Amino acid sequence: MDRLLFGISGLPIGDGSRRFDYASGIEYIKSIGLDAMELLFVRNVNVTDKNKHIILKTKLDNEFYLSAHGSHYINLNADETEKQEQSLERIIKAVEGLSKVEGRSLIFHLGFYLKDSKKDAYNTIKKNLLKLPYKGIDYRLETTGKGTQFGTLEELVSLCQEVESCKLCIDFSHIHARGNGSLKGYDEFTKILEYVLNNLGRVALDDLHIHIGGINYNEKGEKNHLSLLESDFNYIECLKAIKDFNVKGCIILEGPLVEKDALLLKNTYEQI
Ligand SMILES: [Zn+2]
């Protein structure tokens, strides 16, 4: 990527006077100065043969970036092999939906440790990721917000080294929540980016997928999303670190204010 894009997760809210669909949402988001949207395939793949043409046309007309967030019902470390296979099927279905509209990245959470050791969970998940066919869309492994969920930065960076079709999605707010408020200032953010640079190389920072949002958490990790200004997530220092490392790719805002907070991120980034 030649620059850093800012966008939203799901549909915009606008002024409340109209309901958006993906196509009208893309048009609106572009008109207010944003460039990306993460389609929400969390319950089902809602790009269909019926709406794919209009979404694709609007995306191309607006030079827009599309990613998608995969199902919440994915556990590549499920106890039953059958459930692991169903998880792989959900990932493949999502990739097929996203490819209809020329999306770039499918983001998902890999699953839970359950009773397994971290090492065993890692090996099972790796074995499953290696089964996924590469169809021109990157599998983006997302850092998770709870200690019971597989997906520390270190685990995901290691998987990205071992599985060629996989890239990283850094959800800074999840890392913050998982650590019960661990990302306090500039140094904590630069440490993360330095770790990625040292282990995955410049190429990873030149095309990084990022989630940022206000977040509510306790010692068990993430609870729910908040607006940026309601939360203690230090988005200003986070953006400073991102800028100093000259990160390129896409930042998706997650939270109740949707495009309003995405614009806050973009404007803050441009001013620092
Ligand atoms: Zn996620």
Side-chain angles (χ1 to χ4, degrees), residues 153 157 168 170 192-201 204-205:
L153 180 70
V157 162
L168 199 57
I170 300 184
I192 291 171
L193 295 172
E194 222 161 63
Y195 185 80
V196 175
L197 180 63
N198 290 339
N199 291 282
L200 295 175
L205 295 187

Side-chain angles (χ1 to χ4, degrees), residues 12 52 264 272:
K52 68 179 182 187
L264 175 60
I272 52 182

Side-chain angles (χ1 to χ4, degrees), residues 38 69 72 107-109 142-143 171 174 211 254:
E38 195 149 296
H69 195 300
H72 283 323
I107 290 84
F108 54 95
H109 314 170
E142 180 180 346
T143 56
D171 188 317
H174 278 167
H211 286 170
E254 290 185 322

